[in-house]
Amino acid sequence: MSEKLKKTMKINIGPQHPSTHGVLRLVLELDGEVIKSTEPIVGYLHRGMEKMAENMTYFQYLPTVDRIDYLSSFFCAEAFVSSVEKALKIEVPQKAQYMRVMLMELNRIASHLLWLGTFMLDLGASSPFFYCFREREVILNLFEDLTGARMMYNFHTFGGVKKDFQAHFFEKLDKFMLDFPKKVDEYEAIITKNPVFLKRAYGIGVLNKKTALAYAITGPNLRASGVTLDFRKQSPYLIYDKVEFDVPNRKFGDSWSRYFVRVQEMKESLKIVKQCADWLQQNKNEDYNLGIRPVALKVPVGMYVSNVESPRGLLSCVLVADGSEKPVRVKWRTGSFYAVQVLPNLIQNHKMSDLMTIFGSLDVILPEVDR
Amino acid sequence: MDVLYSYYLEYFQSFGINEAWAILLWYAMTFAIVAVLLIGVVLVLVLVERKLLALFTVRKGPNRVGFWGCLQTVADAIKLLFKEDIIPDKADKFLFWIAPILVFAPVMAVWGLIPWDSRFCIFNSIVGVLLFMAILTFPTFGILLAGYSSNNKYSLIGAFRACVQTISYEIPLVMSVLSIVVLAQTLNINNIILAQSSNGIFGWNFIPAFVGMVVFFVCAIAQMNRTPFDLPEAESELVCGYNVEYSGMKFAMFFLAEYAETFIISLFMAILFFGGYLSPFGGYIVEQLDINFVTTQFLIYIEQFSWLIIKTAIILFVIIWIRATLPRLRADQLTAFAWKVLLPLSIINFFVVSVIKYMTMGASYV
């Protein structure tokens, strides 16, 4: 057969395609509507986050860390801050730990809400998108009250957090905690058993246990494939061993399972937020900061690793320090990067429409991939 | 209508001008009325849809331009008029230019077949239903040409999907309309309405042909390319499908055609299954009021028109409601649904309706 009569068609999805969530380019080889091969091309958003660290002091680098994953800024800040804290061998005050955990879990809910909205938009349903943004708005308002920012919070600091709660914070939070479970039930009512959604997501893009482990997938994607691995339980950091929560998981590993695990995770996160809020309201007058000053923070020689369970899986920061004011090397390990790697494997021989389902269900954030 | 036409011809000839010109002018006037009506309906429908979608998704919708945002769609239309008309460099220029017209013209043509009340129908054909179904298959052709001539892979896939979808859904649609033809024993749209006029709401066709109504409704949504069957322009997959490369007024033609088609199919459904301009109470409300004969006759037409619009509005509301609720199906699931579920259902419905008709009419039916 000559080159002209080749049966397949090459098509570029992205970088500006509405469902590539940022700037991913996928070169698809289509046979009719069936995807024969996929080549993800990343790097359209590369900002040199790792290289940047080598020319900055620790305090200068801290605000930029929030940009690594703009939907879960608290987690990135936590990973970097805790690696430095490990190096300095300091114990963060307990109130700061509770505050961090509470904010991170709220951030996880916000991140999952945005994922749910965009995932449903990828499938063509517009209403859940607006519903999810309505709830996310409440969380962002809480964050804005506390930190003054809606996305890049810059709230963590070495040895604690920057500020204490304002007067009315807990009133708003209580209202949110009361409302939110009802809202999650609403989403489940409109999505979980929706026949069209089931047809589109059930059994689509099955990521089996073996492949998931081989590709180092973490987070909800892995837990949907039957592995109960959660770093909050596995190696508890901060006060995660003091709060009670379950790790939702599914066995099958299809798009529907990934959806289900995330929705359940929102409920579990809310449980943690409730426990933290109770503790914080009882211990209002404790210290929230060790008071490490920005001038001349020198980190002892060595390599320090800190692991955080972010909404997109294991987020770890590897810090190499040489005793000066600037790090020698900072390496980030992000969950989305591995999800993009496994994508060609998952969508092979699926229809083109399934690409959006599978890619959406993996919850890939491109800034996190490109860094 | 015929009376009006003969009056018109007499009046025109009293000036001593050739009859051919009179006929030409008559058609020009009808065309103008239909065009103005169509654009007006589309503008209102777009605004109402945006408002309703805003209601379903807890937002406000347009509320700045004019009172209640009522001039928003007018402003949008003016914006579209002034937009630059871009033709891609390597597109097939002639086909690219003619495609929106091929989509728009048939939708406009079927407006003439609708009986708005018991008198006013621009073209009262004895094969109205057949004509309606035949003309409404034409836009697919335009969409296919648009997708092919744009020289864009997204457009091409969108056009193919549109083609597959329309052809699959055409068959159950026609089958369900056929059951109505059996019930009414006529192909004339006006007579189909009159056949339902026996005892109010219980005489309407949706009672014997309930399954047919459901099938018709699903197929109609697929015909108008709306969620959950909006695959030809799935914005999250194909960016915008067959009309990616179209801009300005050419895009507006596709848009107008789609909304006009939505309205017209809803009208058609109200006519076929819900008695068109008939009142659900059997008699008309204005007949109860004790007014003089001429005024009552005039008011009856207005009431008939209102019933038709109310029924259509309810159907449109359901369609928009569905759009706000459901995600989109996949192309192969969509065709499978048409062939494996809707087609058998419509055939069963046809069979049941035929049996009912035979039972009620007895041997005279054969």
Side-chain angles (χ1 to χ4, degrees):
Chain A
M1 197 189 286
S2 73
E3 195 67 15
K4 269 192 176 175
L5 289 170
K6 227 170 42 175
K7 268 185 174 173
T8 55
M9 172 167 83
K10 273 214 165 135
I11 187 166
N12 276 296
I13 302 281
Q16 282 104 0
H17 193 276
S19 332
T20 48
H21 296 202
V23 278
L24 175 70
R25 180 173 157 219
L26 293 166
V27 184
L28 301 183
E29 204 184 334
L30 289 180
D31 179 6
E33 283 218 30
V34 181
I35 296 168
K36 283 293 157 196
S37 71
T38 323
E39 190 190 348
I41 297 170
V42 297
Y44 286 90
L45 202 59
H46 191 55
R47 294 152 297 163
M49 295 297 297
E50 288 172 0
K51 186 70 188 167
M52 218 155 70
E54 294 165 23
N55 303 319
M56 285 175 158
T57 65
Y58 289 95
F59 267 97
Q60 280 172 336
Y61 188 51
L62 188 55
T64 66
V65 163
D66 284 346
R67 272 83 176 164
I68 284 173
D69 179 356
Y70 53 58
L71 296 181
S72 50
S73 298
F74 278 127
F75 293 92
C76 303
E78 170 62 29
F80 180 62
V81 163
S82 64
S83 71
V84 173
E85 279 159 2
K86 264 184 192 167
L88 295 171
K89 292 196 180 62
I90 50 174
E91 180 74 19
V92 184
Q94 202 158 35
K95 183 173 177 184
Q97 291 193 17
Y98 270 100
M99 280 175 83
R100 282 183 185 181
V101 167
M102 193 185 85
L103 293 172
M104 284 201 309
E105 293 305 324
L106 276 174
N107 203 338
R108 190 191 305 277
I109 294 173
S111 171
H112 281 344
L113 278 174
L114 189 108
W115 162 80
L116 181 60
T118 49
F119 178 46
M120 291 316 287
L121 202 63
D122 283 348
L123 292 178
S126 47
S127 297
F129 181 70
F130 294 105
Y131 295 158
C132 290
F133 264 67
R134 179 185 58 186
E135 263 66 75
R136 186 171 175 263
E137 189 67 21
V138 181
I139 300 179
L140 292 194
N141 281 338
L142 278 171
F143 287 163
E144 195 181 4
D145 276 2
L146 187 64
T147 68
R150 287 170 67 80
M151 278 174 98
M152 312 298 166
Y153 309 111
N154 189 18
F155 190 63
H156 287 56
T157 182
F158 306 117
V161 291
K162 282 194 175 153
K163 268 197 268 176
D164 201 354
F165 294 113
Q166 281 96 333
H168 297 296
F169 184 85
F170 283 109
E171 274 176 33
K172 283 184 184 174
L173 185 65
D174 286 343
K175 195 169 172 293
F176 169 74
M177 288 192 297
L178 212 64
D179 281 355
F180 190 64
K182 287 177 215 156
K183 300 285 160 89
V184 177
D185 290 343
E186 252 176 49
Y187 303 148
E188 289 222 72
I190 196 176
I191 302 168
T192 308
K193 299 280 181 204
N194 186 328
V196 180
F197 176 68
L198 277 178
K199 263 206 156 177
R200 282 301 299 279
Y202 202 82
I204 300 296
V206 178
L207 174 64
N208 59 38
K209 201 170 167 178
K210 208 176 148 196
T211 322
L213 289 170
Y215 275 85
I217 302 288
T218 46
N221 293 338
L222 181 67
R223 290 196 282 278
S225 302
V227 186
T228 329
L229 181 73
D230 190 322
F231 286 88
R232 293 174 292 177
K233 290 269 189 207
Q234 195 83 2
S235 49
Y237 48 97
L238 299 175
I239 45 91
Y240 274 116
D241 47 352
K242 290 177 193 166
V243 287
E244 275 178 27
F245 64 99
D246 299 325
V247 180
N249 66 89
R250 291 256 121 190
K251 286 217 169 63
F252 193 32
D254 59 344
S255 301
W256 188 85
S257 306
R258 288 192 278 275
Y259 153 81
F260 187 78
V261 166
R262 284 204 179 82
V263 173
Q264 299 308 314
E265 229 172 63
M266 286 200 264
K267 293 181 183 171
E268 297 302 322
S269 288
L270 196 74
K271 272 190 206 167
I272 304 177
V273 172
K274 266 181 190 162
Q275 292 168 44
C276 291
D278 285 346
W279 191 92
L280 284 165
Q281 273 170 318
Q282 282 160 16
N283 302 276
K284 271 186 182 158
N285 299 323
E286 280 198 26
D287 206 10
Y288 60 89
N289 197 335
L290 285 179
I292 295 173
R293 282 177 297 152
V295 276
L297 175 69
K298 286 180 180 165
V299 173
V301 186
M303 191 170 94
Y304 312 98
V305 185
S306 67
N307 295 330
V308 171
E309 178 72 31
S310 86
R312 273 160 280 281
L314 173 64
L315 177 76
S316 57
C317 172
V318 183
L319 169 71
V320 182
D322 62 348
S324 70
E325 292 169 16
K326 293 173 182 175
V328 175
R329 174 90 168 91
V330 173
K331 168 83 178 87
W332 289 92
R333 187 260 185 232
T334 52
S336 298
F337 192 78
Y338 298 85
V340 171
Q341 273 189 334
V342 82
L343 184 66
N345 206 328
L346 287 186
I347 57 179
Q348 199 173 18
N349 292 329
H350 274 295
K351 298 280 188 315
M352 194 185 150
S353 311
D354 291 335
L355 166 67
M356 283 53 194
T357 321
I358 298 167
F359 185 59
S361 72
L362 284 172
D363 190 16
V364 173
I365 293 288
L366 262 297
E368 213 190 36
V369 176
D370 290 350
R371 295 194 290 277
Chain B
M1 216 46 208
D2 297 335
V3 183
L4 195 65
Y5 184 59
S6 54
Y7 271 134
Y8 161 80
L9 275 186
E10 262 177 39
Y11 181 71
F12 206 86
Q13 277 162 351
S14 67
F15 292 104
I17 311 171
N18 191 352
E19 197 186 328
W21 287 106
I23 295 168
L24 207 64
L25 189 68
W26 173 261
Y27 282 113
M29 281 192 322
T30 347
F31 179 81
I33 291 168
V34 168
V36 169
L37 201 70
L38 180 129
I39 289 168
V41 161
V42 168
L43 288 183
V44 172
L45 189 58
V46 171
L47 180 71
V48 168
E49 170 154 27
R50 285 172 72 174
K51 276 284 185 188
L52 277 178
L53 280 179
L55 183 76
F56 289 129
T57 55
V58 210
R59 292 176 292 136
K60 282 214 169 72
N63 60 353
R64 294 298 163 99
V65 191
F67 170 69
W68 198 66
C70 60
L71 292 177
Q72 183 63 51
T73 45
V74 179
D76 286 343
I78 293 169
K79 184 196 79 178
L80 279 170
L81 273 173
F82 283 100
K83 267 189 145 183
E84 190 189 353
D85 180 26
I86 302 164
I87 297 180
D89 199 24
K90 286 182 181 162
D92 190 326
K93 300 260 165 25
F94 177 68
L95 293 184
F96 191 81
W97 178 80
I98 206 169
I101 300 170
L102 282 176
V103 174
F104 187 66
V107 175
M108 209 158 147
V110 288
W111 279 66
L113 293 166
I114 299 291
W116 297 95
D117 53 41
S118 54
R119 284 281 177 85
F120 186 73
C121 175
I122 292 169
F123 181 47
N124 191 2
S125 164
I126 51 162
V127 287
V129 176
L130 197 66
L131 208 55
F132 190 95
M133 301 312 299
I135 296 175
L136 264 195
T137 51
F138 250 80
T140 318
F141 187 53
I143 287 173
L144 191 62
L145 282 187
Y148 167 73
S149 64
S150 298
N151 194 22
N152 180 326
K153 283 168 184 169
Y154 293 132
S155 311
L156 193 66
I157 296 175
F160 284 156
R161 282 182 177 184
C163 205
V164 166
Q165 180 177 320
T166 329
I167 289 169
S168 316
Y169 278 86
E170 195 89 327
I171 295 160
L173 185 76
V174 171
M175 284 302 283
S176 59
V177 172
L178 209 57
S179 62
I180 299 304
V181 173
V182 166
L183 276 177
Q185 301 277 295
T186 173
L187 279 168
N188 183 316
I189 299 179
N190 242 322
N191 290 352
I192 285 179
I193 297 174
L194 291 177
Q196 301 176 52
S197 61
S198 53
N199 32 8
I201 196 165
F202 302 106
W204 294 355
N205 279 338
F206 79 96
I207 292 174
F210 184 77
V211 182
M213 184 203 71
V214 175
V215 171
F216 183 92
F217 187 59
V218 174
C219 294
I221 296 173
Q223 284 275 314
M224 352 163 173
N225 298 337
R226 291 172 67 88
T227 321
F229 305 107
D230 60 341
L231 283 159
E233 42 170 297
E235 80 287 339
S236 62
E237 291 156 31
L238 301 176
V239 189
C240 205
Y242 61 88
N243 57 19
V244 184
E245 299 288 354
Y246 283 87
S247 67
M249 217 38 222
K250 287 209 186 79
F251 169 75
M253 298 262 276
F254 282 120
F255 198 69
L256 274 175
E258 196 184 308
Y259 275 85
E261 203 182 337
T262 307
F263 186 74
I264 207 95
I265 294 186
S266 307
L267 261 179
F268 198 56
M269 188 174 166
I271 287 168
L272 288 185
F273 294 94
F274 298 102
Y277 53 72
L278 297 173
S279 161
F281 313 115
Y284 294 103
I285 297 170
V286 287
E287 282 172 348
Q288 312 297 321
L289 311 170
D290 203 18
I291 320 172
N292 64 47
F293 182 74
V294 180
T295 321
T296 310
Q297 288 305 307
F298 177 69
L299 282 177
I300 279 177
Y301 295 135
I302 292 183
E303 200 191 327
Q304 285 175 335
F305 180 74
S306 311
W307 281 124
L308 183 61
I309 294 297
I310 288 168
K311 287 165 191 172
T312 312
I314 292 169
I315 296 168
L316 281 170
F317 178 82
V318 177
I319 289 171
I320 295 170
W321 187 7
I322 288 173
R323 180 184 168 169
T325 316
L326 288 179
R328 184 183 304 120
L329 275 163
R330 210 171 64 200
D332 59 319
Q333 292 170 344
L334 191 98
T335 27
F337 185 60
W339 291 106
K340 291 179 186 164
V341 181
L342 292 180
L343 187 60
L345 271 182
S346 61
I347 290 171
I348 290 169
N349 171 63
F350 181 62
F351 180 73
V352 168
V353 164
S354 307
V355 168
I356 291 173
K357 192 69 189 171
Y358 182 78
M359 304 273 266
T360 49
M361 283 186 71
S364 65
Y365 176 53
V366 187

